[in-house]
Amino acid sequence: MRKEQVRKNPREASMTTKQDDNTLKSLELSEGQLEAHFRRLNLAHTRRIYKEVAVRAEKESWSYRDFLALLLAEEVARRKQTRLQRCTRSAHFPFFKTIDEFDFTLQSTLRESVIGSYLGLDFVTEGRSLILHGKTGRGKTHLAVAIGYRAIQNGFETLFTTAAELIEDLSNASKRGNLQESLATYTHPHVLVIDEVGYLTYGTDAANVLFHVVNDRHLRKRPMIFTTNKPLNEWGKVLHDEDMAAAILDRVLERGRFIHLDGPSGRTRHLNLEETLPENTKRLRISGIGGSGFPEPTKIRFGQSSCGMIFRLQVAFSGFWRSNRGKLKSAGSPSRRINCRPRTRR
Protein backbone atom coordinates (compact mmCIF):
# COMPACT_ATOMS: atom_id res chain seq x y z
CA MET A 1 0.00 0.00 0.00
CA ARG A 2 2.79 2.37 0.84
CA LYS A 3 4.52 1.71 -2.51
CA GLU A 4 1.31 2.41 -4.37
CA GLN A 5 0.86 5.70 -2.47
CA VAL A 6 4.42 6.68 -3.24
CA ARG A 7 3.89 5.92 -6.91
CA LYS A 8 0.70 7.99 -6.99
CA ASN A 9 2.14 11.06 -5.28
CA PRO A 10 4.13 12.33 -8.30
CA ARG A 11 1.04 12.09 -10.49
CA GLU A 12 -1.07 13.95 -7.95
CA ALA A 13 1.59 16.61 -7.67
CA SER A 14 1.68 17.08 -11.43
CA MET A 15 -2.10 17.27 -11.58
CA THR A 16 -2.13 19.91 -8.83
CA THR A 17 0.43 21.94 -10.71
CA LYS A 18 -1.66 21.81 -13.86
CA GLN A 19 -4.75 22.88 -11.92
CA ASP A 20 -2.85 25.82 -10.42
CA ASP A 21 -1.69 26.87 -13.87
CA ASN A 22 -5.22 26.67 -15.18
CA THR A 23 -6.50 28.67 -12.18
CA LEU A 24 -3.93 31.39 -12.73
CA LYS A 25 -4.85 31.59 -16.40
CA SER A 26 -8.52 31.84 -15.47
CA LEU A 27 -7.71 34.66 -12.99
CA GLU A 28 -6.17 36.77 -15.70
CA LEU A 29 -9.11 39.16 -15.97
CA SER A 30 -9.36 42.15 -18.19
CA GLU A 31 -10.06 45.62 -16.84
CA GLY A 32 -13.66 45.36 -17.94
CA GLN A 33 -14.12 42.06 -16.11
CA LEU A 34 -12.61 43.51 -12.93
CA GLU A 35 -14.95 46.49 -13.15
CA ALA A 36 -17.91 44.14 -13.51
CA HIS A 37 -16.87 42.16 -10.42
CA PHE A 38 -16.43 45.33 -8.36
CA ARG A 39 -19.87 46.55 -9.37
CA ARG A 40 -21.51 43.22 -8.63
CA LEU A 41 -20.01 43.20 -5.11
CA ASN A 42 -20.84 46.91 -4.62
CA LEU A 43 -17.19 47.74 -4.02
CA ALA A 44 -17.44 51.23 -5.45
CA HIS A 45 -14.56 52.76 -3.51
CA THR A 46 -12.27 49.78 -4.14
CA ARG A 47 -13.01 50.04 -7.84
CA ARG A 48 -11.79 53.66 -7.79
CA ILE A 49 -8.57 53.16 -5.84
CA TYR A 50 -7.30 49.63 -6.57
CA LYS A 51 -5.04 50.67 -9.47
CA GLU A 52 -3.30 53.34 -7.43
CA VAL A 53 -2.91 50.98 -4.47
CA ALA A 54 -1.55 48.21 -6.74
CA VAL A 55 1.16 50.52 -8.10
CA ARG A 56 2.13 51.52 -4.59
CA ALA A 57 2.18 47.88 -3.46
CA GLU A 58 4.56 46.92 -6.30
CA LYS A 59 6.92 49.80 -5.54
CA GLU A 60 7.03 49.03 -1.81
CA SER A 61 6.98 45.24 -2.25
CA TRP A 62 3.85 44.62 -0.21
CA SER A 63 2.64 41.13 0.45
CA TYR A 64 -0.67 40.03 -1.02
CA ARG A 65 -2.15 40.06 2.46
CA ASP A 66 -1.14 43.68 3.11
CA PHE A 67 -2.49 44.72 -0.28
CA LEU A 68 -5.84 43.08 0.43
CA ALA A 69 -5.98 44.45 3.99
CA LEU A 70 -5.52 48.02 2.79
CA LEU A 71 -8.22 47.70 0.15
CA LEU A 72 -10.69 46.28 2.69
CA ALA A 73 -9.86 48.95 5.28
CA GLU A 74 -10.36 51.74 2.74
CA GLU A 75 -13.69 50.26 1.62
CA VAL A 76 -14.98 49.95 5.19
CA ALA A 77 -13.89 53.49 6.11
CA ARG A 78 -15.55 54.89 2.99
CA ARG A 79 -18.79 53.07 3.73
CA LYS A 80 -18.82 54.40 7.28
CA GLN A 81 -18.34 57.94 6.03
CA THR A 82 -21.05 57.56 3.39
CA ARG A 83 -23.47 56.11 5.91
CA LEU A 84 -22.76 58.92 8.38
CA GLN A 85 -23.48 61.56 5.74
CA ARG A 86 -26.63 59.80 4.58
CA CYS A 87 -28.04 59.33 8.09
CA THR A 88 -27.20 62.90 9.04
CA ARG A 89 -29.14 64.20 6.04
CA SER A 90 -32.12 61.94 6.73
CA ALA A 91 -32.18 63.03 10.39
CA HIS A 92 -33.32 66.52 9.29
CA PHE A 93 -31.30 68.39 11.89
CA PRO A 94 -32.00 72.15 11.79
CA PHE A 95 -28.25 72.74 12.17
CA PHE A 96 -25.15 70.68 12.86
CA LYS A 97 -23.73 70.76 16.39
CA THR A 98 -21.53 68.43 18.39
CA ILE A 99 -21.14 67.94 22.12
CA ASP A 100 -17.65 69.47 21.97
CA GLU A 101 -19.14 72.79 20.87
CA PHE A 102 -21.43 73.10 23.90
CA ASP A 103 -20.19 75.53 26.56
CA PHE A 104 -20.82 73.83 29.90
CA THR A 105 -19.22 76.74 31.79
CA LEU A 106 -22.40 78.77 31.29
CA GLN A 107 -24.43 76.18 33.23
CA SER A 108 -24.55 76.38 37.02
CA THR A 109 -25.77 72.83 37.64
CA LEU A 110 -25.35 70.81 34.43
CA ARG A 111 -22.03 69.04 34.00
CA GLU A 112 -20.61 67.21 31.00
CA SER A 113 -20.48 63.97 32.98
CA VAL A 114 -24.29 64.00 33.22
CA ILE A 115 -24.67 64.20 29.45
CA GLY A 116 -21.87 61.67 28.98
CA SER A 117 -24.19 58.79 29.86
CA TYR A 118 -26.32 59.70 26.83
CA LEU A 119 -23.44 59.59 24.37
CA GLY A 120 -22.75 55.86 24.51
CA LEU A 121 -24.42 52.75 23.18
CA ASP A 122 -26.41 52.22 26.39
CA PHE A 123 -28.51 55.28 25.65
CA VAL A 124 -30.07 53.47 22.69
CA THR A 125 -29.85 49.83 23.75
CA GLU A 126 -31.47 50.52 27.13
CA GLY A 127 -34.13 52.82 25.71
CA ARG A 128 -33.36 55.86 27.85
CA SER A 129 -35.13 59.16 27.30
CA LEU A 130 -34.39 62.77 28.13
CA ILE A 131 -36.32 66.00 28.71
CA LEU A 132 -34.27 69.20 28.33
CA HIS A 133 -36.00 72.16 29.97
CA GLY A 134 -35.06 75.83 30.03
CA LYS A 135 -35.70 79.29 28.68
CA THR A 136 -35.00 80.13 25.08
CA GLY A 137 -31.36 80.26 24.02
CA ARG A 138 -30.03 77.98 26.77
CA GLY A 139 -28.78 75.29 24.38
CA LYS A 140 -31.56 72.71 24.59
CA THR A 141 -31.72 72.09 20.85
CA HIS A 142 -27.91 72.13 20.63
CA LEU A 143 -27.67 69.29 23.13
CA ALA A 144 -30.49 67.35 21.49
CA VAL A 145 -28.80 67.57 18.08
CA ALA A 146 -25.42 66.62 19.53
CA ILE A 147 -26.82 63.53 21.29
CA GLY A 148 -28.73 62.51 18.16
CA TYR A 149 -25.63 62.89 16.01
CA ARG A 150 -23.56 60.82 18.44
CA ALA A 151 -26.17 58.06 18.13
CA ILE A 152 -25.65 58.15 14.35
CA GLN A 153 -21.91 57.86 14.88
CA ASN A 154 -22.58 54.82 17.06
CA GLY A 155 -24.42 53.10 14.23
CA PHE A 156 -28.05 54.07 14.90
CA GLU A 157 -30.64 56.17 13.09
CA THR A 158 -31.97 59.48 14.38
CA LEU A 159 -34.95 61.61 13.37
CA PHE A 160 -35.36 65.24 14.39
CA THR A 161 -38.74 66.98 14.32
CA THR A 162 -40.60 69.72 16.14
CA ALA A 163 -43.64 69.02 18.28
CA ALA A 164 -45.76 71.22 16.01
CA GLU A 165 -44.71 69.32 12.87
CA LEU A 166 -45.28 65.90 14.45
CA ILE A 167 -48.70 66.78 15.88
CA GLU A 168 -49.90 68.42 12.66
CA ASP A 169 -48.68 65.52 10.52
CA LEU A 170 -50.31 62.83 12.66
CA SER A 171 -53.48 64.86 13.17
CA ASN A 172 -53.96 65.18 9.41
CA ALA A 173 -53.18 61.48 8.97
CA SER A 174 -55.79 60.61 11.58
CA LYS A 175 -58.39 62.63 9.70
CA ARG A 176 -57.49 60.81 6.48
CA GLY A 177 -57.73 57.44 8.23
CA ASN A 178 -54.07 56.38 7.81
CA LEU A 179 -52.68 57.17 11.25
CA GLN A 180 -50.96 53.80 11.64
CA GLU A 181 -49.01 54.21 8.41
CA SER A 182 -47.84 57.70 9.41
CA LEU A 183 -46.82 56.55 12.87
CA ALA A 184 -44.04 54.43 11.37
CA THR A 185 -42.16 57.61 10.44
CA TYR A 186 -41.74 58.47 14.12
CA THR A 187 -41.57 54.99 15.66
CA HIS A 188 -39.04 53.37 13.30
CA PRO A 189 -35.86 55.45 13.98
CA HIS A 190 -33.74 54.34 16.91
CA VAL A 191 -33.67 57.87 18.38
CA LEU A 192 -36.46 60.47 18.07
CA VAL A 193 -35.87 64.13 18.93
CA ILE A 194 -39.02 66.22 19.51
CA ASP A 195 -38.12 69.89 19.74
CA GLU A 196 -40.00 72.92 21.11
CA VAL A 197 -42.78 71.32 23.15
CA GLY A 198 -44.99 74.18 24.31
CA TYR A 199 -43.68 76.90 22.04
CA LEU A 200 -46.73 76.95 19.75
CA THR A 201 -50.43 76.25 20.11
CA TYR A 202 -51.59 72.77 19.08
CA GLY A 203 -54.90 71.29 18.07
CA THR A 204 -57.25 69.65 20.52
CA ASP A 205 -56.04 66.15 19.58
CA ALA A 206 -52.37 66.95 20.33
CA ALA A 207 -52.18 64.72 23.41
CA ASN A 208 -53.88 61.85 21.61
CA VAL A 209 -51.52 61.66 18.62
CA LEU A 210 -48.40 62.30 20.72
CA PHE A 211 -49.39 59.51 23.10
CA HIS A 212 -49.44 57.03 20.20
CA VAL A 213 -45.80 57.85 19.41
CA VAL A 214 -44.59 57.84 23.01
CA ASN A 215 -46.41 54.65 23.97
CA ASP A 216 -45.16 52.71 20.92
CA ARG A 217 -41.56 53.78 21.44
CA HIS A 218 -41.79 53.10 25.18
CA LEU A 219 -42.94 49.53 24.58
CA ARG A 220 -40.12 48.95 22.08
CA LYS A 221 -37.53 50.64 24.35
CA ARG A 222 -36.62 53.28 21.83
CA PRO A 223 -35.24 56.52 23.30
CA MET A 224 -36.80 59.96 22.94
CA ILE A 225 -35.38 63.44 23.51
CA PHE A 226 -37.73 66.36 24.25
CA THR A 227 -36.88 70.05 24.49
CA THR A 228 -39.35 72.39 26.16
CA ASN A 229 -39.66 75.79 27.79
CA LYS A 230 -42.66 74.71 29.88
CA PRO A 231 -42.55 73.05 33.32
CA LEU A 232 -43.86 69.51 33.41
CA ASN A 233 -46.96 70.53 35.35
CA GLU A 234 -48.01 72.74 32.41
CA TRP A 235 -47.86 70.04 29.75
CA GLY A 236 -51.52 69.26 30.38
CA LYS A 237 -52.49 72.79 29.37
CA VAL A 238 -50.16 72.69 26.37
CA LEU A 239 -51.58 69.37 25.11
CA HIS A 240 -55.20 70.13 26.16
CA ASP A 241 -55.46 66.98 28.28
CA GLU A 242 -54.12 66.69 31.83
CA ASP A 243 -54.55 62.92 32.11
CA MET A 244 -52.99 62.15 28.74
CA ALA A 245 -50.06 64.47 29.43
CA ALA A 246 -49.45 62.67 32.73
CA ALA A 247 -49.46 59.32 30.90
CA ILE A 248 -46.96 60.64 28.35
CA LEU A 249 -44.56 61.95 31.00
CA ASP A 250 -44.92 58.74 33.02
CA ARG A 251 -43.66 56.69 30.09
CA VAL A 252 -40.91 59.11 29.10
CA LEU A 253 -39.48 59.43 32.60
CA GLU A 254 -39.70 55.75 33.54
CA ARG A 255 -36.29 55.22 31.91
CA GLY A 256 -35.59 58.90 31.36
CA ARG A 257 -34.29 62.00 33.05
CA PHE A 258 -35.33 65.64 33.42
CA ILE A 259 -32.51 68.17 33.02
CA HIS A 260 -32.89 71.90 33.56
CA LEU A 261 -30.63 74.30 31.68
CA ASP A 262 -29.99 77.77 33.09
CA GLY A 263 -27.41 80.47 32.55
CA PRO A 264 -27.55 83.31 30.02
CA SER A 265 -28.99 83.02 26.55
CA GLY A 266 -26.39 81.89 24.05
CA ARG A 267 -27.87 84.17 21.40
CA THR A 268 -27.95 87.46 23.32
CA ARG A 269 -25.37 87.08 26.08
CA HIS A 270 -23.15 89.64 24.36
CA LEU A 271 -25.85 92.23 25.08
CA ASN A 272 -25.83 91.55 28.84
CA LEU A 273 -29.62 91.40 28.93
CA GLU A 274 -29.61 88.92 31.80
CA GLU A 275 -28.32 91.40 34.39
CA THR A 276 -30.56 91.64 37.45
CA LEU A 277 -32.71 94.76 37.43
CA PRO A 278 -33.16 96.86 40.60
CA GLU A 279 -36.34 96.24 42.51
CA ASN A 280 -37.83 99.62 41.62
CA THR A 281 -37.43 98.92 37.90
CA LYS A 282 -39.31 95.65 37.73
CA ARG A 283 -42.39 97.50 36.51
CA LEU A 284 -40.41 99.25 33.76
CA ARG A 285 -38.86 96.40 31.77
CA ILE A 286 -39.18 98.09 28.37
CA SER A 287 -37.82 101.58 28.99
CA GLY A 288 -35.38 100.57 31.69
CA ILE A 289 -35.64 103.96 33.46
CA GLY A 290 -35.83 104.20 37.19
CA GLY A 291 -39.22 103.69 38.80
CA SER A 292 -41.09 106.46 40.56
CA GLY A 293 -40.86 106.85 44.29
CA PHE A 294 -44.61 106.54 44.67
CA PRO A 295 -46.44 103.53 43.27
CA GLU A 296 -49.71 105.48 43.13
CA PRO A 297 -50.39 109.11 42.03
CA THR A 298 -50.14 111.56 44.93
CA LYS A 299 -53.51 112.99 45.92
CA ILE A 300 -53.35 116.83 46.17
CA ARG A 301 -55.75 118.54 48.49
CA PHE A 302 -56.99 121.91 47.27
CA GLY A 303 -56.19 124.11 50.23
CA GLN A 304 -53.99 126.96 51.29
CA SER A 305 -50.79 125.26 50.03
CA SER A 306 -52.19 124.89 46.53
CA CYS A 307 -53.53 128.42 46.59
CA GLY A 308 -50.06 129.73 47.45
CA MET A 309 -48.61 127.94 44.49
CA ILE A 310 -51.28 129.40 42.20
CA PHE A 311 -50.65 132.87 43.56
CA ARG A 312 -46.93 132.62 42.80
CA LEU A 313 -47.70 131.50 39.26
CA GLN A 314 -50.06 134.47 38.87
CA VAL A 315 -47.38 136.96 39.95
CA ALA A 316 -44.86 135.45 37.56
CA PHE A 317 -47.32 135.60 34.71
CA SER A 318 -48.15 139.24 35.44
CA GLY A 319 -44.47 140.18 35.24
CA PHE A 320 -44.11 138.36 31.96
CA TRP A 321 -47.19 140.19 30.65
CA ARG A 322 -45.89 143.65 31.48
CA SER A 323 -42.50 143.06 29.85
CA ASN A 324 -43.79 141.43 26.67
CA ARG A 325 -47.24 142.90 26.08
CA GLY A 326 -45.99 145.01 23.19
CA LYS A 327 -44.84 141.92 21.36
CA LEU A 328 -48.04 140.01 21.80
CA LYS A 329 -50.68 140.34 19.12
CA SER A 330 -53.69 140.30 21.31
CA ALA A 331 -53.94 142.53 24.29
CA GLY A 332 -55.47 141.44 27.48
CA SER A 333 -55.12 141.61 31.17
CA PRO A 334 -53.77 139.01 33.47
CA SER A 335 -56.24 136.59 34.73
CA ARG A 336 -58.03 137.57 37.86
CA ARG A 337 -56.61 136.59 41.12
CA ILE A 338 -58.08 133.57 42.65
CA ASN A 339 -59.60 134.12 46.03
CA CYS A 340 -58.01 131.53 48.21
CA ARG A 341 -59.79 132.45 51.38
CA PRO A 342 -61.71 129.55 52.78
CA ARG A 343 -65.40 130.11 52.45
CA THR A 344 -67.38 130.40 55.61
CA ARG A 345 -70.46 128.32 55.90
CA ARG A 346 -73.66 130.20 56.46
Side-chain angles (χ1 to χ4, degrees), residues 108-153:
S108 62
T109 57
L110 179 63
R111 295 294 177 264
E112 188 173 1
S113 59
V114 177
I115 299 298
S117 60
Y118 290 88
L119 302 177
L121 299 176
D122 294 342
F123 166 61
V124 180
T125 57
E126 296 180 3
R128 301 176 186 176
S129 292
L130 184 63
I131 298 179
L132 300 172
H133 169 262
K135 296 180 181 178
T136 181
R138 268 57 182 182
K140 303 182 297 296
T141 305
H142 181 155
L143 279 181
V145 170
I147 296 173
Y149 178 70
R150 179 60 65 87
I152 294 176
Q153 289 179 308

Side-chain angles (χ1 to χ4, degrees), residues 9-235:
N9 285 338
R11 295 180 180 179
E12 292 178 357
S14 61
M15 292 178 62
T16 304
T17 304
K18 293 180 180 179
Q19 290 177 358
D20 292 339
D21 294 338
N22 294 332
T23 303
L24 291 175
K25 292 181 179 179
S26 63
L27 291 178
E28 294 178 0
L29 302 177
S30 63
E31 294 291 337
Q33 290 174 323
L34 283 176
E35 292 283 337
H37 287 321
F38 285 136
R39 293 179 184 276
R40 185 172 183 179
L41 296 175
N42 295 321
L43 299 175
H45 187 60
T46 303
R47 178 172 55 86
R48 288 191 292 267
I49 67 170
Y50 83 95
K51 292 182 181 179
E52 180 182 351
V53 175
V55 172
R56 179 182 173 187
E58 291 178 358
K59 289 182 179 180
E60 299 179 8
S61 301
W62 290 2
S63 65
Y64 296 121
R65 186 178 183 278
D66 293 338
F67 175 68
L68 177 61
L70 180 62
L71 288 179
L72 292 177
E74 288 289 334
E75 183 67 29
V76 171
R78 184 67 175 188
R79 290 193 178 191
K80 285 184 177 180
Q81 183 181 4
T82 302
R83 178 200 162 275
L84 187 63
Q85 295 174 350
R86 183 182 69 254
C87 291
T88 302
R89 288 193 302 268
S90 62
H92 302 296
F93 292 129
F95 48 77
F96 180 75
K97 291 288 184 180
T98 63
I99 197 67
D100 297 330
E101 300 176 67
F102 189 82
D103 191 356
F104 285 92
T105 61
L106 300 177
Q107 302 295 319
S108 62
T109 57
L110 179 63
R111 295 294 177 264
E112 188 173 1
S113 59
V114 177
I115 299 298
S117 60
Y118 290 88
L119 302 177
L121 299 176
D122 294 342
F123 166 61
V124 180
T125 57
E126 296 180 3
R128 301 176 186 176
S129 292
L130 184 63
I131 298 179
L132 300 172
H133 169 262
K135 296 180 181 178
T136 181
R138 268 57 182 182
K140 303 182 297 296
T141 305
H142 181 155
L143 279 181
V145 170
I147 296 173
Y149 178 70
R150 179 60 65 87
I152 294 176
Q153 289 179 308
N154 292 334
F156 302 103
E157 295 180 358
T158 299
L159 176 64
F160 182 100
T161 184
T162 64
E165 292 173 350
L166 181 147
I167 292 172
E168 183 180 5
D169 182 26
L170 295 181
S171 179
N172 293 333
S174 179
K175 295 176 182 177
R176 295 191 303 266
N178 57 352
L179 177 61
Q180 294 301 321
E181 292 80 356
S182 299
L183 278 174
T185 303
Y186 305 100
T187 58
H188 174 74
H190 299 98
V191 179
L192 177 64
V193 180
I194 302 178
D195 194 32
E196 299 179 347
V197 176
Y199 278 67
L200 301 176
T201 303
Y202 313 124
T204 56
D205 60 342
N208 182 37
V209 295
L210 182 58
F211 176 80
H212 282 289
V213 176
V214 172
N215 186 57
D216 186 279
R217 296 188 64 86
H218 172 262
L219 294 175
R220 300 168 65 182
K221 290 188 177 182
R222 297 213 158 179
M224 295 164 281
I225 303 175
F226 293 85
T227 69
T228 180
N229 63 340
K230 294 292 189 296
L232 298 184
N233 57 7
E234 293 186 12
W235 279 38

